[in-house]
């Protein structure tokens, strides 16, 4: 450990805990506990804002005060992971499952997962989509061709009708919503005009996306997904819409056609 | 066990994709029926200001014993069926 | 690279103003975008691209953490490089601070102890960053709320040495100088005088601060970017213009963001000061 590393480790520790272990490195004539705490307060307030920006519906559901408390506990368990603040908050859905004060709202974790997918999808890297011609060309050029997903694609598992709750909260005055427990898979991605789309995926289609995400070849992915197909026509339709709506992307290798 | 792998032959796969291409609607039409949101993306969280309230003593709030008096008080009241209705 | 003289002052690009700035060309010199807000793609990135086709743009980083004691984040550099290639910025800037260490980051700009090791680390990171994006960067002086003990350099010595070692430029934030001078008890004018006057100062920042009372009753100046520029800072600015020449200037405003017109008027005030100082020089020459 070098001196600079010691100082930064101590400072970072203090910011996230509110302790003052780095005081030993400071010039007492121009420093004080109150001054040191400016940095930890700045981080707590700043990250609460970042979290509120990514999770507006969660915040509306629980209210301002509760959300502040939630943010304070969350950031200690899951500090900002990267220099870009938009990356902070991805573990909220998981955190909520174990957050006792929110246990009366079991659907909150689903809402959080949906909001995170929505936000990340809206700012994910751009990529060129692959159309049917590109797809056909890639398949004939390489039998082991892997169909890539657009970088904005997020596949999330839900246990409640959180999508209905989310939709209702896009309105200024949400009406009463009946909570129902139902397993569903949602696909969230950004389409041609940069709007973010959300759709329920059939189990077979979800399985196809899962295979694509794991870099399994398209032929094998279709075989695996095909085992769960009950209505081939509907599956084919789902696939057709996905291609048209830019769920799939061209990777650098596929510069055929 | 290899049998299922061969179900999707190159020819079958080609036919599937070709069939899908024929079924594909225009993008705008395809979007019908999807949940979507296309408002302004709120991606502006990176700035370099100090928060004007950062001297207010966040740490004191943390130490307060009464913190857990907070209960959710937002629109959660509008989400009925806290006991969770099972959908058949 | 496109050449811009930037004789008119600029403003920080904030999301509430993007549409208005695109709808009709505003009367400003340039716009400064916070790099991290445009990482990735989608709508924000497309809008910035459109902005960059209408106005000169600078890219101002707030999250790379050049002062971190461990290694720079490769992905972060990749994203900035991609932005630099897309937007053709006039300047690429970052801060004389750190904000991440060992996989933990903060939404803040943290102070660096001005010790030999920190200079070695910072200079190596500036060189690496400049090399990877293929551009000179300019480094901004921080606002300080406290000071470290056992230092090898003052802040101005540290900045001068950094430029000598790396060939980077400086972004002097005049408001930060005023804030730090109040908080740490030194003379803002001396600070400006101590920065070498050899063309290394490439840009000025101006903003408003806020004076708060601390829990222990002490006073602290906070760099809140939520108010007009103070008279004291305008005076320091005029002094800096006399010392460093007519350097491109930018107004920053991040909290309680006002209407675009208010920002443009603030930038026009900076232009007035620049004109006045240029006139003084003219008078002396005559």
């Amino acid at each position: 450990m070098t001196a600079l590393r010691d100082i930064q480790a101590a400072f970072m520790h203090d910011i996230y805990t509110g302790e003052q272990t780095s005081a030993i490195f400071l010039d007492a004539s121009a420093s004080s506990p109150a001054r040191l705490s400016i940095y930890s307060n700045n981080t707590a307030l700043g990250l609460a804002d970042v979290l509120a920006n990514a999770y507006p519906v969660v915040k509306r559901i629980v209210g301002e005060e509760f959300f502040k408390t939630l943010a304070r506990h969350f950031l200690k368990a899951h500090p900002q992971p990267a220099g870009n603040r938009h990356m902070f908050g991805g573990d909220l859905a998981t955190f909520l499952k174990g957050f006792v004060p929110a246990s009366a709202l079991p659907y909150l974790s689903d809402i959080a997962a949906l909001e995170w997918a929505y936000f990340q999808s809206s700012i994910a890297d751009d990529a060129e989509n692959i159309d049917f011609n590109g797809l056909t060309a890639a398949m004939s050029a390489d039998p082991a061709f892997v169909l890539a997903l657009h970088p904005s694609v997020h596949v999330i598992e839900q246990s409640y009708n959180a999508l209905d709750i989310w939709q209702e909260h896009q309105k200024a005055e949400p009406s009463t919503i009946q909570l129902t427990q139902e397993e569903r898979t949602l696909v969230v991605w950004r389409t041609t005009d940069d709007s973010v789309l959300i759709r329920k995926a059939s189990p077979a289609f979800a399985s196809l996306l899962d295979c694509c995400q794991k870099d399994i070849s398209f032929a094998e992915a279709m075989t695996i997904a095909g085992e769960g197909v009950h209505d081939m026509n509907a599956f084919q339709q789902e696939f057709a819409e996905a291609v048209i709506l830019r769920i799939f992307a061209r990777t650098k290798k596929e510069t055929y056609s | 066990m290899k049998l299922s792998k061969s179900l999707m032959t190159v020819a079958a796969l080609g036919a599937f994709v070709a069939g899908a291409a024929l079924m594909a609607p225009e993008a705008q039409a395809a979007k019908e029926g999807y949940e979507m949101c296309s408002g302004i993306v709120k991606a502006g969280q990176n700035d370099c200001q100090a928060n004007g309230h950062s001297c207010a003593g966040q740490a004191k709030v943390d130490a307060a014993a009464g913190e857990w008096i907070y209960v959710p008080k937002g629109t959660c009241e509008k989400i009925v069926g806290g006991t969770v209705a099972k959908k058949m | 690279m496109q050449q811009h003289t930037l004789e008119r002052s600029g403003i920080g690009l904030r999301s509430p103003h993007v549409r208005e700035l695109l709808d009709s060309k505003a009367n400003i010199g340039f716009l400064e975008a916070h790099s991290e807000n445009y990482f990735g793609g989608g709508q924000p990135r497309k809008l910035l691209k459109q902005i960059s086709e209408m106005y000169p743009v600078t890219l101002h980083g707030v999250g790379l953490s050049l002062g971190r004691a461990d290694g720079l984040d490769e992905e972060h550099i990749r994203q900035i490089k991609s932005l630099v290639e897309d937007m053709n910025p006039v300047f690429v800037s970052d801060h004389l601070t750190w904000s991440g260490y060992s996989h933990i980051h903060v939404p803040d700009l943290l102070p660096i102890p001005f010790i030999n090791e920190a200079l070695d680390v910072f200079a190596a990171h500036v060189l690496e960053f400049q090399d990877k994006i293929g551009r000179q960067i300019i480094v901004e002086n921080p606002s300080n709320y406290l000071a470290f003990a056992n230092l090898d350099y003052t802040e101005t010595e540290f900045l001068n040495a950094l430029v000598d070692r790396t060939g980077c430029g400086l972004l002097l934030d005049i408001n930060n100088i005023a804030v730090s001078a109040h908080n740490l008890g030194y003379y803002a004018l001396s600070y400006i005088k101590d920065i070498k006057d050899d063309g290394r100062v490439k840009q000025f920042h101006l903003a408003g601060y806020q004076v708060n009372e601390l829990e222990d009753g002490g006073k602290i100046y906070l760099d809140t970017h939520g108010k007009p520029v103070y008279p004291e800072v305008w005076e320091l600015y005029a002094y800096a213009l006399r010392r460093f020449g007519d350097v491109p200037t930018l107004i920053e405003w991040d909290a309680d963001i006002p209407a675009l017109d208010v920002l443009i008027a603030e930038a026009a005030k900076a232009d007035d000061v620049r004109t006045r100082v240029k006139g003084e020089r003219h008078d002396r020459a005559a």
Side-chain angles (χ1 to χ4, degrees):
Chain A
M1 289 280 275
T2 59
L4 189 63
R5 283 173 183 261
D6 289 343
I7 292 171
Q8 294 194 349
F11 213 90
M12 199 55 103
H13 171 86
D14 289 356
I15 287 178
Y16 274 99
T17 60
E19 291 174 23
Q20 301 257 338
T21 62
S22 50
I24 52 164
F25 300 113
L26 301 177
D27 171 0
S29 72
S31 308
S32 67
R35 286 178 173 219
L36 189 52
S37 65
I38 289 174
Y39 292 97
S40 76
N41 292 337
N42 236 351
T43 289
L45 294 165
L47 289 182
D49 285 348
V50 174
L51 204 65
N53 181 68
Y55 295 100
V57 176
V58 170
K59 187 180 165 189
R60 262 185 106 181
I61 290 172
V62 301
E64 188 104 22
E65 286 306 313
F66 188 90
F67 193 83
K68 272 190 205 164
T69 309
L70 170 63
R72 211 159 54 236
H73 285 262
F74 172 73
L75 69 90
K76 285 183 179 170
H78 301 278
Q80 185 185 331
N84 177 8
R85 294 169 207 174
H86 298 151
M87 303 304 290
F88 170 72
D91 299 310
L92 188 66
T94 312
F95 182 80
L96 278 167
K97 286 184 180 161
F99 189 62
V100 176
S103 55
L105 312 176
Y107 53 85
L108 211 53
S109 174
D110 278 5
I111 304 268
L114 178 55
E115 290 202 283
W116 184 253
Y118 172 72
F119 180 55
Q120 290 300 308
S121 177
S122 70
I123 57 172
D125 280 350
D126 290 315
E128 200 186 333
N129 65 314
I130 189 164
D131 59 10
F132 281 107
N133 289 338
L135 184 55
T136 309
M139 281 161 55
S140 51
D142 178 10
F145 147 78
V146 175
L147 181 56
L149 301 185
H150 189 274
S152 68
V153 173
H154 286 251
V155 180
I156 52 174
E157 303 295 335
Q158 303 262 284
S159 306
Y160 295 91
N161 58 334
L163 181 57
D164 304 335
I165 299 171
W166 182 86
Q167 273 295 100
E168 196 57 33
H169 278 80
Q170 303 308 310
K171 299 176 188 163
E173 272 300 318
S175 331
T176 301
I177 310 144
Q178 176 67 46
L179 183 66
T180 57
Q181 204 170 6
E182 51 181 295
E183 303 290 330
R184 38 163 109 154
T185 304
L186 299 180
V187 193
V188 182
W189 80 103
R190 195 171 76 230
T191 188
T192 30
D193 60 357
D194 277 332
S195 58
V196 172
L197 297 184
I198 302 165
R199 78 167 294 169
K200 292 172 209 168
S202 70
F205 191 68
S207 152
L208 174 66
L209 295 181
D210 183 55
C211 289
C212 292
Q213 243 158 4
K214 290 176 179 152
D215 286 341
I216 293 171
S217 79
F218 182 50
E220 196 178 342
M222 284 301 262
T223 306
I224 294 167
E227 284 166 9
V229 172
H230 298 300
D231 178 346
M232 184 50 86
N233 205 50
F235 180 68
Q236 206 171 10
Q237 182 73 45
E238 198 172 2
F239 180 78
E241 287 179 15
V243 172
I244 290 297
L245 291 174
R246 238 175 46 162
I247 281 189
F248 303 110
R250 197 178 275 273
T251 54
K252 289 207 178 67
K253 280 187 298 180
E254 293 126 34
T255 40
Y256 322 104
S257 90
Chain B
M1 295 312 280
K2 288 275 174 206
L3 198 62
S4 73
K5 301 272 181 211
S6 65
L7 277 178
M8 198 51 98
T9 60
V10 170
L13 196 56
F16 176 87
V17 171
L22 293 174
M23 296 166 88
E26 291 296 309
Q28 277 309 318
K31 270 163 69 175
E32 295 292 325
Y34 286 67
E35 309 293 0
M36 62 174 285
C37 200
S38 56
I40 293 274
V41 177
K42 297 203 301 181
Q45 292 299 301
N46 294 285
D47 59 33
C48 46
Q49 66 176 110
N51 189 295
H53 303 289
S54 59
C55 302
Q58 195 75 15
K60 265 196 288 188
V61 184
D62 247 5
E67 167 165 35
W68 296 120
I69 60 168
Y70 291 133
V71 290
K73 269 187 193 149
T75 57
C76 51
E77 288 164 14
K78 297 199 172 183
I79 300 158
V80 296
T83 47
V84 179
K86 271 263 185 203
K87 197 172 189 176
M88 286 296 124
Chain C
M1 198 184 76
Q2 214 177 328
Q3 282 301 316
H4 299 289
T5 55
L6 308 186
E7 278 170 2
R8 303 289 310 277
S9 299
I11 60 171
L13 177 65
R14 304 294 177 258
S15 50
H17 302 140
V18 169
R19 288 287 179 202
E20 202 177 340
L21 286 162
L22 284 173
D23 284 346
S24 65
K25 184 136 199 261
N27 193 13
I28 39 157
F30 63 107
L31 290 163
E32 178 189 80
H34 286 156
S35 313
E36 285 79 2
N37 286 340
Y38 304 93
F39 278 13
Q43 188 192 56
R45 178 78 166 231
K46 277 205 186 75
L47 293 176
L48 182 62
K49 181 71 189 159
Q50 289 170 27
I51 288 275
S52 76
E53 285 158 5
M54 280 174 74
Y55 304 88
V57 161
T58 61
L59 287 177
H60 188 50
V62 302
L64 180 57
S65 192
L66 283 166
R68 65 188 303 159
D70 52 358
L72 294 178
D73 178 350
E74 293 286 339
E75 170 62 12
H76 205 102
I77 295 177
R78 183 187 74 78
Q79 289 279 1
I80 292 179
K81 184 177 162 64
S82 153
L83 269 176
V84 169
E85 284 163 2
D86 279 5
M87 308 300 167
N88 187 25
V90 189
F91 297 117
V92 179
S93 52
D94 211 300
H95 298 81
L96 185 72
T97 55
W98 64 288
S99 53
Y101 174 68
S102 182
H103 309 295
I104 300 183
H105 295 71
V106 294
D108 201 357
L109 299 165
L110 306 178
I112 285 176
F114 301 123
I115 55 177
N116 284 316
E117 188 196 350
L119 181 58
D120 291 343
V121 163
F122 209 99
H125 283 162
V126 168
L127 287 171
E128 178 188 346
F129 186 34
Q130 291 185 143
D131 183 53
K132 286 189 172 149
I133 65 168
R135 287 278 304 257
Q136 181 199 43
I137 66 154
I138 60 177
V139 175
E140 177 179 345
N141 58 302
S143 331
N144 298 300
Y145 306 121
L146 48 73
F148 288 93
N150 305 317
L151 302 181
D152 299 315
Y153 307 93
T154 64
E155 186 170 303
T156 48
E157 286 165 354
F158 195 94
L159 280 169
N160 282 330
L162 181 68
V163 173
D164 294 341
R165 281 204 202 178
T166 66
C168 72
L170 293 181
L171 193 176
L172 274 196
D173 187 315
I174 308 292
N175 188 58
N176 288 358
I177 295 174
V179 163
S180 297
H182 281 294
N183 290 335
L184 304 186
Y186 55 72
Y187 290 106
L189 281 181
S190 311
Y191 185 105
I192 293 174
K193 247 187 263 178
D194 288 342
I195 296 288
K196 283 189 197 165
D197 161 28
D198 58 358
R200 65 183 57 201
V201 176
K202 305 289 187 194
Q203 197 190 334
F204 291 135
H205 270 176
L206 296 169
Y209 54 72
Q210 177 180 317
V211 187
N212 277 28
E213 190 167 313
L214 285 168
E215 287 174 293
D216 59 14
K219 261 197 184 146
I220 196 91
Y221 285 65
L222 289 175
D223 180 32
T224 50
H225 294 181
K227 290 202 160 58
V229 179
Y230 279 93
E232 163 202 29
V233 174
W234 284 123
E235 275 176 40
L236 285 172
Y237 173 55
Y239 181 84
L241 284 170
R242 285 180 204 114
R243 175 165 175 79
F244 301 111
D246 189 48
V247 172
T249 302
L250 181 111
I251 304 287
E252 287 183 296
W253 206 312
D254 287 279
D256 304 322
I257 299 173
L260 184 59
D261 292 347
V262 176
L263 289 184
I264 292 172
E266 201 73 352
K269 277 193 220 167
D271 287 340
D272 291 344
V273 179
R274 290 167 76 172
T275 308
R276 200 183 78 214
V277 171
K278 269 192 245 173
E280 291 168 8
R281 200 170 292 156
H282 225 75
D283 292 347
R284 259 185 316 217

